[in-house]
């Protein structure tokens, strides 16, 4: 059963505000309110030691009144390790309760789920079980630890258990009572427990009298609780059975091992590796950018206790064996993560496709741009744009919300709001990145960097650092997109990357932090609780906030040219894409047991999963906590759109109807599985809801309408850059890519398509270069933080808006439309017929070698059979002769009222002349009806735009 000790504080924070009177539904809520937060411990010296990191800094002393890692009584604790340990101990692991003593009365451990085995340290040694049958109810399932045996040394009665060492997915607990000692090595995927005792005989105490089915002297086959085990002692020794206990005199040797067998027929295979002890494990990853392929390699180091055998047996999780071509045996194990398959050998690799992350969606939505701009300005000009955020989590949420608005403001041409938003991000980040006030404190004993004011146990329990810090990385990546100097390691980027190192240190040479604190490299998911102090093992609730960290690391690395950080993000993101699909959403219907009555898990535990959250049983939040925040890093959900639709159907059935509290999060998630339905949700309700606190109407409107235009994520196509995505609608693909570099590049997609992306820009196959940095007239903002000055486009800007009256203006105007006369039932393909014409003169600019791009808003209302065509002409010297004329294929409009996007597509259908530099030149755009019998409209003012290939 998934449970919680009465005195526990939840390891996760709610991602929603604790609003008075929040609606609750009948369902599974794991924990009571957080009213019983730990008492604090008196702080250290008032004057903190300050460590500079670039332009920022952190402190090494506790702020006044604050606490670091503590037990449930409020007493500060230090790692429970032996003198052999010099590295920073991993918190937030599957075994962390061995080192982090959360309860004063338990100096050993809580239940630890390594899969396929589970463990619990006690005074006499190590309890071992093989949980093979699920229990629980319709709202939770659990493969719980129930002792099969205890492995130890005769007479051992240790006062505590310590950690004597660890590797990437194994740990070595240590017991000593002064006369006897015991070291064991246990780990993910290992069916073996390796023991090195001293001071007594080896001992295995079964929970009941075992059935002995094999006795070879030093090798014993025994069954208890329906589970088959093999006991392996040194050659020449002999196990003795007395009642429920097996003992062996080790004959001067100091080793024996015990294994859970998948079948009695596997005894000889296990005997082959019984003395090849695992002494270390290592995960490594590499990203093949050209082929969008992540290769992850898992390696176990072994030492032969006798003989010369090397290697071992490893049980692979479902997400691993689905992604490997390495040979597997026919043996399997049951686990809370589905079937595990056994491999013979010390290493294996997985190969997974990376589908891309975008810093933001492009500007292709048919939204009301004036309304969208008003939404952006409401946030940018709010009296308190941070909404009272006072701790690391809520400040992070505020940063995340504001960061998503920056590219939207730029796409709308409102550079003043864009720069104000960047300034707000810089101000809040710099406040947190400077010691004093809002600040981060480094604890050398634990190797942790904690933000104060802290929240939800991020200080006393080392909870949720990846959840909190992912928002800071996304905000820093957004600033870096526009101001690389600010994000340099010698300025403020150094502090941002220090947060990344705290949560998931990728650099083994950086000894300030443990390796991958919040990510379990073998299990493939994050863990939220720092102490792992639960009978159910560790837990992870908001898988999507874990993905937010991965996307933030990727984008910050890409924006700053830090390939190692970028590839960390790709590794975390790609791996979790697979594990979230399997273990939170059961996309193959192969993990959740039949008695679990849901298709979604709100949170996973070491022993199982639950349809619940830490703060409510409300179905929309149980589902939504694994959706938010919605960003360009959320596209992984779109890889399984049918599951998106099914999950939302389940949510609404359990909720008694559509979402009420987090409807905006639900709509945006729906857009990844059914864009048209999401748009209908928005259209019917946009003026009748309050956004979730980490989001805004501006972002939601932009997200939903863009996906309504783009369609679904296309998993069949990848790109040779990590910041790209492909969408498909009605058989038509749209390619999107962002270039963080300082020179234009050609992005190549796996279906053979290419896309030229200018430096520092997003390009699409449907709408040219996005965003367009051209300002819309606006009231000059007042803002305390002044962002680093950005370059404002000159009067000869290459971005031009079609204006009613025939102009091609460098700035957007008032929303409007011009009528395109009917083709009169004739065919005018290739020849302008009564065109509406737009001209810009007196242009002096340098030709870049790129191509013309445009995005024309076109609407034929309910008319059928209309086709609209465009021609762009360049008079390079203004002498009245057009040196270059480009005619584009006509665009067949749909018979539905509402603007559509006519773009340059793959280029002109015909072209004459050549482009060169403009010297007092002129550009003309002609739009006409090529076919059809009805008039149409072209949007003007702040709608239709052309991007000229000049600078």
């Amino acid at each position: 059963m998934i449970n919680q000790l009465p005195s526990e504080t939840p390891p996760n924070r709610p991602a929603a505000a604790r609003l008075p009177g929040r609606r609750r539904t009948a369902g599974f809520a794991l924990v009571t309110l957080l009213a019983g937060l730990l008492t604090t411990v008196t702080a250290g010296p008032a004057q903190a030691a300050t460590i500079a990191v670039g332009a920022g800094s952190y402190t090494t002393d506790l702020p006044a009144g604050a606490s670091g890692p503590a037990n449930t009584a409020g007493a500060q604790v230090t790692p429970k390790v032996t003198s052999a340990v010099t590295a920073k101990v991993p918190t937030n692991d599957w075994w962390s309760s061995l080192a982090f003593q959360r309860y004063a009365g338990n100096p050993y451990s809580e239940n630890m789920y390594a899969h396929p085995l589970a463990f619990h340290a006690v005074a006499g040694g190590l309890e071992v079980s093989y949980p093979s049958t699920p229990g629980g109810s319709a709202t939770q399932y659990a493969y719980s630890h129930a002792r099969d045996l205890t492995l130890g040394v005769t007479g051992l009665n240790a006062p505590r258990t310590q950690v004597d060492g660890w590797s990437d997915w194994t740990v070595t607990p240590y017991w000593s009572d002064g006369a006897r000692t015991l070291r064991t090595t246990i780990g993910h995927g290992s069916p073996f427990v390796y023991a090195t005792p001293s001071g007594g005989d080896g001992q295995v105490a079964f929970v009941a009298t075992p059935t002995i089915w094999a006795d070879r002297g030093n090798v014993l086959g025994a069954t208890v609780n329906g589970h088959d085990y093999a006991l392996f002692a040194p050659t020449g020794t002999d196990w003795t059975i007395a009642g429920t206990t097996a003992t062996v005199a080790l004959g001067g040797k100091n080793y024996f091992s015990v294994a859970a067998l998948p079948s009695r027929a596997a005894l000889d295979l296990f005997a082959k590796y019984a003395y090849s002890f695992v002494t270390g494990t290592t995960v490594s990853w590499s990203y093949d950018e050209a082929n969008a392929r992540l290769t992850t390699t898992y390696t176990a180091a072994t030492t032969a206790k006798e003989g010369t055998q090397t290697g071992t047996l490893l049980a692979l999780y479902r997400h691993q064996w689905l992604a490997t071509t390495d040979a597997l045996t026919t043996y399997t194990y049951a686990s809370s993560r589905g079937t595990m398959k056994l491999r013979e050998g010390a290493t294996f690799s997985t190969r997974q496709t990376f589908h891309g992350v975008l810093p933001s969606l492009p500007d292709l939505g048919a939204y009301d741009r004036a309304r969208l701009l008003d939404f952006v300005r409401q946030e940018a000009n709010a009296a308190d744009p941070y909404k009272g955020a006072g701790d690391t989590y809520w400040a992070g949420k505020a940063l995340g919300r504001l960061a998503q608005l920056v590219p939207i403001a730029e796409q709308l041409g409102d550079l003043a709001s864009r720069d104000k938003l960047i300034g707000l991000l810089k101000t809040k980040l710099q406040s947190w990145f400077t010691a004093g006030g809002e600040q981060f404190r480094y604890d050398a004993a634990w190797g942790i960097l904690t933000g104060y004011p802290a929240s939800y146990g991020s200080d006393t329990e080392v909870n949720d650092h990846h959840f909190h810090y992912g928002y800071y990385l996304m905000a820093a990546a957004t600033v870096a997109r526009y101001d690389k100097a600010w994000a340099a390691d010698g300025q403020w980027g150094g502090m941002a990357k220090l947060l990344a190192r705290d949560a998931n240190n990728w650099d083994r040479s950086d000894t300030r932090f443990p390796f991958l604190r919040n990510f379990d490299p073998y299990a493939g998911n994050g863990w939220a609780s720092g102490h792992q102090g639960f009978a159910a093992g560790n837990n992870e609730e908001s898988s999507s906030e874990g993905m937010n960290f991965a996307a933030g690391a990727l984008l910050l690395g890409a924006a700053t040219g830090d390939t190692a950080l970028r590839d960390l993000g790709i590794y975390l993101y790609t791996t979790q894409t697979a594990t979230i699909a399997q273990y939170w959403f059961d996309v193959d219907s192969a993990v959740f047991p039949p008695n679990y009555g849901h298709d979604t898990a709100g949170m996973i535990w070491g022993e199982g999963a639950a349809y619940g959250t830490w703060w409510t049983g409300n179905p929309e939040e149980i589902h939504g906590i694994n959706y938010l925040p919605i960003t360009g890093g959320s596209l992984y959900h779109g890889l399984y759109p049918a599951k998106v639709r099914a999950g939302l159907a389940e949510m609404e059935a359990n909720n008694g109807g559509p979402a009420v509290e987090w409807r905006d999060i639900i709509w945006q998630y729906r857009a990844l599985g059914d864009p048209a339905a999401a748009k209908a949700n928005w259209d019917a309700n946009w003026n009748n809801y309050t956004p979730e606190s980490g989001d805004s109407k501006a972002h939601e409107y932009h997200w939903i309408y863009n996906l309504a235009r783009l369609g679904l994520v296309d998993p069949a196509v990848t790109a040779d850059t990590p910041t790209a995505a492909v969408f498909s609608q009605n058989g038509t693909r749209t390619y999107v890519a962002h270039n963080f570099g300082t020179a234009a590049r050609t992005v190549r997609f796996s279906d053979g398509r290419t896309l030229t992306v200018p430096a520092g820009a997003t390009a699409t196959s449907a709408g040219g270069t996005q965003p367009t940095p051209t300002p819309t007239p606006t009231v000059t903002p007042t803002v305390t933080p002044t962002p680093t000055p950005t370059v404002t486009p000159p009067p000869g800007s290459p971005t031009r808006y079609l204006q009613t009256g025939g102009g091609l203006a460098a700035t957007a105007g008032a929303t409007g439309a011009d009528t395109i006369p009917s083709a009169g039932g004739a065919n005018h393909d290739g020849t302008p017929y009564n065109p509406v014409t737009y001209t810009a003169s007196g242009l002096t600019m340098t030709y870049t070698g790129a191509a013309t791009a445009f995005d024309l808003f076109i609407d034929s209302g309910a008319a059928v059979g209309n086709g609209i065509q465009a021609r762009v002409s360049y008079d390079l010297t203004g002498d009245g002769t057009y040196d270059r004329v480009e005619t584009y294929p006509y665009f067949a409009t749909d018979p539905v009222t509402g603007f559509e996007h006519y773009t340059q597509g793959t280029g002109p259908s015909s072209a004459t002349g050549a482009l060169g530099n403009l010297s007092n030149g002129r550009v003309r755009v002609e739009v006409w009806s090529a076919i059809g019998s009805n008039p149409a409209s072209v949007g003007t003012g702040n709608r239709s735009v052309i991007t000229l290939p000049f600078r």
Side-chain angles (χ1 to χ4, degrees):
M1 175 181 178
I2 295 177
N3 58 9
Q4 178 181 330
L5 299 179
S7 60
E8 291 173 3
T9 298
N12 296 66
R13 75 290 159 272
R18 295 190 175 280
L19 301 176
R22 173 173 291 280
R23 180 171 64 88
R24 290 178 176 271
T25 61
F28 183 62
L30 289 175
V31 73
T32 58
L33 294 174
L34 288 175
L37 285 173
L38 300 176
T39 55
T40 58
V41 179
T42 304
Q47 296 298 318
T50 299
I51 307 298
V53 180
S57 59
Y58 63 87
T59 180
T60 59
D61 289 328
L62 276 171
S67 178
N71 64 20
T72 53
Q76 293 194 32
V77 294
T78 55
K80 196 156 57 77
V81 297
T82 69
S83 59
V85 171
T86 58
K88 304 304 181 186
V89 69
T91 58
N92 305 79
D93 217 327
W94 63 271
W95 55 263
S96 291
S97 61
L98 280 167
F100 193 137
Q101 187 174 337
R102 180 67 175 150
Y103 310 105
N106 182 7
Y108 304 105
S109 81
E110 302 303 320
N111 293 342
M112 300 174 288
Y113 291 87
H115 307 134
L117 301 182
F119 308 101
H120 190 106
V122 294
L126 183 69
E127 290 184 356
V128 181
S129 70
Y130 168 35
S132 58
T133 304
S137 67
T139 55
Q140 60 177 338
Y141 74 84
Y143 289 74
S144 299
H145 169 65
R147 181 176 76 91
D148 288 336
L149 58 90
T150 301
L151 180 153
V153 184
T154 53
L156 178 65
N157 186 23
R160 62 176 178 169
T161 307
Q162 297 170 286
V163 174
D164 196 51
W166 61 84
S167 62
D168 286 0
W169 65 85
T170 66
V171 65
T172 299
Y174 172 80
W175 294 256
S176 174
D177 62 8
R180 291 158 289 267
T181 68
L182 173 68
R183 288 176 176 84
T184 64
T185 296
I186 53 179
H188 277 312
S190 178
F192 284 100
V193 179
Y194 307 101
T196 54
S198 72
D201 293 340
Q203 177 176 286
V204 175
F206 296 96
V207 70
T209 302
T211 298
I212 305 300
W213 47 267
D215 188 349
R216 303 176 182 175
N218 68 316
V219 176
L220 200 65
T223 298
V224 65
N225 275 349
H227 300 138
D228 296 324
Y229 286 90
L231 284 59
F232 301 97
T235 300
T237 64
D238 192 1
W239 288 98
T240 299
I241 297 288
T244 61
T245 302
T247 58
V248 61
L250 296 173
K253 305 294 178 60
N254 69 337
Y255 56 87
F256 68 97
S257 64
V258 173
L261 301 181
S263 165
R264 293 182 183 179
L267 179 60
D268 288 342
L269 174 64
F270 276 69
K272 176 180 177 181
Y273 293 101
Y275 307 102
S276 179
F277 277 35
V278 171
T279 55
T281 55
T282 305
V283 66
S284 61
W285 59 86
S286 62
Y287 173 55
D288 177 355
E289 187 169 1
N291 295 298
R293 183 60 55 89
L294 175 79
T295 299
T296 305
T297 301
Y298 305 83
T299 303
T302 60
T303 296
K305 290 295 185 179
E306 58 182 61
T308 59
Q309 182 65 52
T310 60
T312 189
L313 298 170
L314 291 170
L316 277 63
Y317 283 109
R318 179 175 178 81
H319 75 277
Q320 294 171 321
W321 58 257
L322 284 172
T324 190
T325 56
D326 294 342
L328 303 174
T329 72
T330 59
Y331 295 115
T332 63
Y333 290 93
S335 82
S336 61
R337 303 292 179 260
T339 299
M340 301 180 77
K341 296 188 177 184
L342 193 67
R343 172 166 168 75
E344 182 180 2
T347 186
F348 67 92
S349 295
T350 60
R351 297 159 188 86
Q352 298 166 289
T353 299
F354 174 65
H355 288 94
V357 164
L358 293 174
S360 60
L361 293 186
D363 183 20
L364 297 178
Y367 21 70
D368 181 329
R369 300 179 78 82
R371 181 193 297 169
L372 180 57
L373 183 58
D374 180 58
F375 287 156
V376 171
R377 290 176 178 173
Q378 287 178 29
E379 296 286 340
N381 299 325
D384 177 12
Y386 308 116
K387 296 187 177 181
D391 59 52
T392 47
Y393 182 67
W394 291 103
K397 295 267 285 187
L399 286 165
R401 172 173 46 81
L402 296 171
Q404 295 305 311
L405 298 174
V406 172
I408 301 174
E410 184 172 46
Q411 289 171 0
L412 294 171
D414 187 356
L415 297 195
S417 291
R418 180 201 67 179
D419 289 351
K420 182 172 184 178
L421 289 162
I422 292 172
L424 292 171
L425 294 177
K426 288 181 177 179
T427 294
K428 182 59 70 172
L429 287 170
Q430 288 170 200
S431 177
W432 278 99
F433 290 172
T434 304
E438 297 172 323
Q439 62 181 324
F440 286 91
R441 180 251 177 168
Y442 179 72
D443 182 331
W446 285 96
I448 55 175
L449 189 71
T450 305
Y452 291 89
S455 53
Y456 308 113
S458 61
D459 51 353
T460 55
E461 302 177 63
V462 201
N463 290 341
D464 302 352
H465 283 203
H466 57 326
F467 293 160
H468 295 209
Y469 299 169
Y471 290 103
Y472 293 76
L473 298 186
M474 288 292 266
T478 299
V479 176
R481 178 175 173 180
Y482 299 93
D483 189 348
K484 293 187 185 299
W486 181 93
D489 289 353
Q491 290 299 307
W492 298 98
M495 276 298 296
K497 293 178 184 180
L498 201 65
L499 268 62
R501 289 177 183 272
D502 168 79
N504 280 307
N505 181 25
W506 64 97
D507 181 0
R508 295 181 189 273
S509 68
D510 186 343
T511 58
R512 295 170 295 179
F513 305 104
F515 179 67
L516 297 181
R517 180 195 310 282
N518 280 111
F519 188 73
D520 188 321
Y522 201 89
N525 58 259
W527 294 121
S529 170
H531 50 72
Q532 188 262 307
F534 303 94
N538 214 325
N539 72 93
E540 180 88 332
E541 185 182 58
S542 183
S543 61
S544 50
E545 285 183 305
M547 287 292 267
N548 188 51
F549 178 96
L554 188 164
L555 292 172
L556 181 59
T560 60
D562 189 334
T563 302
L565 178 59
R566 183 203 70 175
D567 288 358
L568 166 75
I570 291 170
Y571 162 66
L572 298 175
Y573 190 94
T574 307
T575 306
Q576 289 178 114
T577 293
T579 56
I580 291 167
Q582 293 296 330
Y583 310 140
W584 274 263
F585 296 113
D586 195 15
V587 292
D588 298 327
S589 299
V591 174
F592 296 166
N595 65 326
Y596 179 66
H598 297 278
D599 293 328
T600 297
M603 60 197 305
I604 66 166
W605 289 83
E607 73 169 4
Y611 189 75
T613 73
W614 279 106
W615 79 98
T616 183
N618 180 4
E620 64 187 80
E621 291 164 285
I622 292 171
H623 288 254
I625 192 59
N626 286 293
Y627 306 160
L628 61 77
I630 303 292
T631 72
S634 301
L635 299 179
Y636 66 98
H637 289 300
L639 298 174
Y640 35 91
K643 191 65 182 181
V644 170
R645 297 189 292 270
L648 291 176
E650 179 191 20
M651 183 279 294
E652 291 186 346
N654 295 337
N655 202 46
V660 175
E661 300 186 40
W662 280 2
R663 62 183 73 180
D664 53 328
I665 300 298
I666 301 301
W667 298 340
Q668 291 177 90
Y669 179 70
R670 175 169 279 128
L672 291 163
D674 190 344
K679 181 176 179 295
N681 288 154
W682 167 272
D683 289 343
N685 299 282
W686 70 268
N687 204 26
N688 189 32
Y689 79 98
T690 300
E692 189 270 334
S693 59
D695 215 326
S696 66
K697 283 191 175 182
H699 176 251
E700 291 147 13
Y701 189 18
H702 184 268
W703 177 270
I704 291 168
Y705 265 64
N706 266 294
L707 288 178
R709 166 63 179 83
L710 290 163
L712 299 175
V713 174
D714 190 335
V717 184
T718 59
D720 66 352
T721 180
T723 50
V726 182
F727 303 85
S728 180
Q729 182 152 260
N730 299 325
T732 299
R733 283 174 173 156
T734 301
Y735 304 79
V736 184
H738 185 81
N739 177 11
F740 279 110
T742 57
R745 66 161 295 179
T746 297
V747 174
R748 291 173 171 80
F749 295 88
S750 59
D751 64 351
R753 183 64 184 265
T754 61
L755 186 63
T756 299
V757 190
T762 298
T764 80
S765 62
T769 301
Q770 306 283 348
T772 53
T774 305
T776 295
T778 185
V779 177
T780 301
T782 56
V783 58
T784 300
T786 301
T788 301
T790 55
V791 176
T792 300
S797 171
T799 300
R800 296 277 156 171
Y801 290 86
L802 278 60
Q803 302 296 314
T804 295
L808 276 178
T811 59
T815 302
D818 287 341
T819 298
I820 306 171
S822 165
N827 188 326
H828 303 288
D829 184 11
T831 304
Y833 175 77
N834 293 331
V836 285
T837 303
Y838 306 89
T839 304
S841 302
L843 302 179
T844 299
M845 291 185 284
T846 302
Y847 177 47
T848 64
T852 305
F854 58 79
D855 182 8
L856 306 183
F857 280 51
I858 304 295
D859 180 33
S860 290
V864 177
N866 272 13
I868 307 303
Q869 195 158 27
R871 184 167 75 176
V872 183
S873 304
Y874 296 90
D875 174 359
L876 300 179
T877 60
D879 63 0
T881 298
Y882 286 98
D883 304 282
R884 168 78 169 178
V885 179
E886 302 172 349
T887 304
Y888 290 81
Y890 69 75
F891 175 74
T893 59
D894 65 29
V896 179
T897 300
F899 283 111
E900 301 167 74
H901 290 267
Y902 173 24
T903 74
Q904 82 287 346
T906 57
S909 56
S910 67
T912 61
L915 283 168
N917 296 337
L918 283 168
S919 177
N920 196 35
R922 175 169 36 181
V923 176
R924 180 179 68 191
V925 177
E926 298 166 279
V927 184
W928 71 95
S929 294
I931 57 174
S933 301
N934 295 278
S937 298
V938 57
T940 60
N942 59 1
R943 288 172 166 164
S944 298
V945 64
I946 179 168
T947 303
L948 308 177
F950 300 93
R951 63 174 182 269

